[in-house]
Amino acid sequence: MLFGTHFRYPWLVATAVIVHACFFYAIVAPSCGWLVAVATRFRPKGSEVWLTIDDGPDGEASLRLSEEMSRRGVQATFFVKGRNLQRQPEVGAALVAAGHSLANHTQTHPAHLFWWLRPGPLRHEIDACNEALRSAGVSVIRWFRSPVGLKNIFLEPTLLRRGMRYVGWSVRGKDGVTCNPDDVARRVRSNVSPGAIVLLHEGRERSNEAILRVIDELRERGYSFVIPADEQLV
Ligand SMILES: [Zn+2]
């Protein structure tokens, strides 16, 4: 009978509802920095954007993508799943050799449970992926992005202890579930501006087509692609 006539403390219920709503928002809102500081943009030196590509590496498809990007003189940061990278460290090494950077997107990509992970499993998700990155030849590991941008109350101290920073995004192609290159390119070009962090994905049926389409359209509009320094992130 929480809301019954005998309930004398409606303010308690209201407070509990507000606190839970705030906690829920802090966990699921990708740009919310209440639980961990989130970089959502960078200070550009011109018409620059940072292309970030999640969920790889994806074997031959990643190598073909990298080849096409090299032809265009474009570098990006690949937020990789440690488990994928362990299976194909040579692909990760090829991406690094082509001038791209690799960053941590957890070991197993626990998309539904990330917010609920206790400190031990959370550390494992981050450390195992870092280990896979080191095995692929990445010497400096600076950046982390969680599955679907979810937060976790233990995340900030865990990242700080490892000298890592949480990177979100400012523009996304919404290509994580379905990937129609027309829709992806339209979403990005309508929302992009200098200093934007653009989020795209690998591993879907038309991922390479969508990524290259975004690159070509932004280049036509005068944008260049950079991997910013830590100090540029905001
Ligand atoms: Zn992901």
Side-chain angles (χ1 to χ4, degrees):
M1 294 297 288
L2 201 57
F3 294 97
T5 50
H6 300 295
F7 186 70
R8 297 178 193 178
Y9 304 107
W11 56 270
L12 252 183
V13 176
T15 305
V17 168
I18 290 167
V19 166
H20 281 87
C22 288
F23 187 58
F24 180 74
Y25 178 80
I27 285 172
V28 302
S31 301
C32 179
W34 294 347
L35 293 177
V36 58
V38 180
T40 55
R41 300 189 65 79
F42 69 98
R43 289 187 204 89
K45 293 172 182 158
S47 286
E48 298 171 339
V49 295
W50 180 15
L51 180 59
T52 63
I53 301 171
D54 284 10
D55 290 358
D58 187 27
E60 281 295 318
S62 294
L63 296 175
R64 282 198 304 275
L65 175 64
S66 176
E67 218 167 89
E68 288 296 326
M69 289 171 74
S70 291
R71 286 182 48 215
R72 293 161 170 82
V74 170
Q75 269 91 43
T77 297
F78 289 77
F79 283 82
V80 297
K81 299 179 188 177
R83 201 165 48 181
N84 285 5
L85 187 59
Q86 271 174 342
R87 285 197 297 260
Q88 43 195 321
E90 70 289 353
V91 176
L95 293 173
V96 172
H100 306 293
S101 65
L102 303 189
N104 189 319
H105 193 42
T106 71
Q107 176 69 4
T108 68
H109 203 268
H112 302 298
L113 290 174
F114 183 80
W115 69 278
W116 181 246
L117 291 180
R118 304 291 90 197
L122 178 66
R123 282 196 298 271
H124 172 75
E125 285 293 336
I126 294 171
D127 290 342
C129 185
N130 280 350
E131 198 45 53
L133 287 164
R134 283 189 204 98
S135 301
V138 180
S139 48
V140 181
I141 302 164
R142 293 182 284 174
W143 297 316
F144 174 82
R145 178 182 285 151
S146 58
V148 292
L150 288 175
K151 309 301 186 313
N152 177 303
I153 57 170
F154 305 110
L155 185 54
E156 182 147 84
T158 308
L159 291 178
L160 284 176
R161 239 173 270 132
R162 288 154 180 77
M164 297 174 72
R165 183 155 183 187
Y166 192 100
V167 173
W169 59 83
S170 25
V171 182
R172 59 177 166 165
K174 294 190 178 172
D175 55 336
V177 181
T178 57
C179 180
N180 178 318
D182 290 337
D183 296 338
V184 173
R186 179 180 43 74
R187 282 188 201 106
V188 174
R189 74 170 176 261
S190 349
N191 295 300
V192 77
S193 60
I197 302 173
V198 179
L199 165 63
L200 296 174
H201 292 82
E202 283 191 281
R204 280 67 176 175
E205 203 181 341
R206 300 175 72 188
S207 290
N208 281 8
E209 197 186 331
I211 293 167
L212 294 170
R213 178 82 169 274
V214 166
I215 289 172
D216 290 342
E217 289 202 7
L218 294 189
R219 286 175 82 217
E220 275 167 26
R221 285 165 171 73
Y223 283 99
S224 58
F225 295 82
V226 297
I227 299 172
D230 268 326
E231 312 80 72
Q232 289 176 271
L233 300 186
V234 286

